Amino acid sequence: MKTKIAYLVALVCALTFATSAFADAEEQFYKKDQIRGFISFGGDFRGMFDDFHSYVNSTALMNGGHMAAASDADSTKTAYAGKLKYGKFDDYYIGLHVNVGAQYKQFLTWINMNFMPTQVSERPSSTYVNTSADGNSMKFPLYDVRWFSYGADWMFGWKLFGENTFINLIPSVGLGFNLINFHLASNFDFEDLDSPGTYVSARDRYYSTMAMTFNSELELRIELGQFGIGIYGGYRYAEYNDLEIENNVLVGEPYDTDNSGETWFAGLRLTWTFLSDWQSKQAEKL
């Protein structure tokens, strides 16, 4: 329900911006030669809400246990478990962004492509010891635990103080998607959902799941001709689907349906706005 309300609010805002920018009963719908393209690069500090922080640590640092036979001659597999000694991930990370879009008068729309450096919790050793209920011990490999995310949002914004003012305030909203990727600590074993009683092992690779996103931000921008520098902040909501490991859905806490990915953020953005066709023609006449 929360997600549906957020998407509805975003859609209403986007339609309001678009209508205000383009609707003019006495003129043509818009003047194509006055559209200006732009590109920007940004970086921000992202703070994770408690649920998101808990979700990342619980998922990435999970201890799934192992199923193995005591010897090659033994066909019966036994459950082995051991302790993991990894450092937890921080509740913040750096977000990097590339925006490509267009401006018409005060209205802006763009695609915000976002990604982050991979966060790593280093393995304490190359292997760790696991023990079965009957006291047998075995060693299993360990890997660095990693996670990162990337995605894109279609954003809609409005310059509150006019099209070409020196200082501007730009609120914006948008919808998009995000992928989060986890590399687990070891080759944990999971019961095969298609064949109960048999098990599949996690591999030395990333496992991913997707979320729909709602993004809102406010930018204070200083414009010097075609160049702009702005500080911005906002809120991004994501709700991730259940993670699958070798086609096996992780069920139960914290892998239930509401896998939150909420963050707040604040950062710096550099923007270059290209001249419109009309501006270029005017410059040629001078």
Side-chain angles (χ1 to χ4, degrees):
M1 184 64 182
K2 183 178 178 182
T3 307
K4 292 180 180 178
I5 293 174
Y7 290 168
L8 181 59
V9 170
L11 181 59
V12 170
C13 292
L15 291 175
T16 300
F17 287 156
T19 302
S20 299
F22 293 126
D24 191 337
E26 296 180 358
E27 297 180 7
Q28 65 188 51
F29 187 64
Y30 70 95
K31 296 178 181 178
K32 185 177 180 180
D33 63 352
Q34 292 188 18
I35 296 176
R36 306 177 66 186
F38 67 85
I39 185 170
S40 68
F41 302 91
D44 53 45
F45 178 92
R46 302 228 151 201
M48 305 164 71
F49 283 76
D50 289 344
D51 286 347
F52 186 25
H53 187 222
S54 176
Y55 167 63
V56 166
N57 278 296
S58 298
T59 304
L61 299 173
M62 67 175 293
N63 187 348
H66 303 270
M67 295 295 296
S71 65
D72 293 338
D74 190 352
S75 60
T76 302
K77 291 189 175 182
T78 304
Y80 287 78
K83 292 183 179 180
L84 298 177
K85 298 179 180 180
Y86 285 82
K88 287 191 174 182
F89 293 102
D90 293 324
D91 60 355
Y92 61 87
Y93 60 92
I94 301 299
L96 303 174
H97 305 264
V98 177
N99 298 332
V100 178
Q103 172 184 328
Y104 181 73
K105 298 187 182 298
Q106 292 171 252
F107 173 73
L108 304 98
T109 184
W110 66 93
I111 299 297
N112 172 12
M113 293 169 281
N114 60 86
F115 50 96
M116 58 173 282
T118 302
Q119 305 297 296
V120 181
S121 181
E122 294 184 354
R123 64 183 182 177
S125 60
S126 59
T127 62
Y128 75 130
V129 176
N130 283 238
T131 306
S132 65
D134 57 10
N136 291 326
S137 296
M138 294 185 68
K139 287 185 177 181
F140 293 90
L142 285 178
Y143 310 116
D144 289 345
V145 176
R146 305 168 182 265
W147 81 276
F148 71 96
S149 68
Y150 60 90
D153 299 307
W154 187 7
M155 301 293 295
F156 301 87
W158 184 262
K159 288 186 169 182
L160 294 180
F161 301 155
E163 181 180 359
N164 298 306
T165 56
F166 175 65
I167 297 179
N168 227 313
L169 198 61
I170 309 172
S172 60
V173 295
L175 299 177
F177 70 92
N178 215 69
L179 270 80
I180 191 167
N181 308 272
F182 297 105
H183 191 294
L184 304 182
S186 188
N187 304 117
F188 302 125
D189 291 314
F190 301 89
E191 188 171 15
D192 191 336
L193 297 179
D194 297 325
S195 182
T198 61
Y199 293 83
V200 293
S201 299
R203 291 179 286 159
D204 182 8
R205 52 155 290 190
Y206 282 98
Y207 293 95
S208 307
T209 187
M210 182 180 288
M212 300 301 294
T213 58
F214 166 74
N215 192 40
S216 62
E217 63 179 48
L218 182 65
E219 178 184 356
L220 177 63
R221 183 185 297 180
I222 296 175
E223 292 190 332
L224 303 170
Q226 293 176 253
F227 176 74
I229 181 171
I231 55 175
Y232 66 95
Y235 165 80
R236 193 163 190 255
Y237 176 79
E239 185 175 305
Y240 289 103
N241 298 326
D242 292 323
L243 184 68
E244 291 189 8
I245 306 294
E246 301 300 316
N247 298 319
N248 290 267
V249 178
L250 294 181
V251 295
E253 294 292 342
Y255 317 111
D256 218 338
T257 52
D258 292 326
N259 295 325
S260 174
E262 292 178 280
T263 58
W264 59 267
F265 54 87
L268 179 69
R269 175 178 295 146
L270 305 177
T271 301
W272 180 263
T273 304
F274 302 99
L275 296 177
S276 66
D277 290 343
W278 182 84
Q279 289 174 313
S280 297
K281 290 177 182 178
Q282 297 304 308
E284 292 173 358
K285 294 178 180 180
L286 298 178

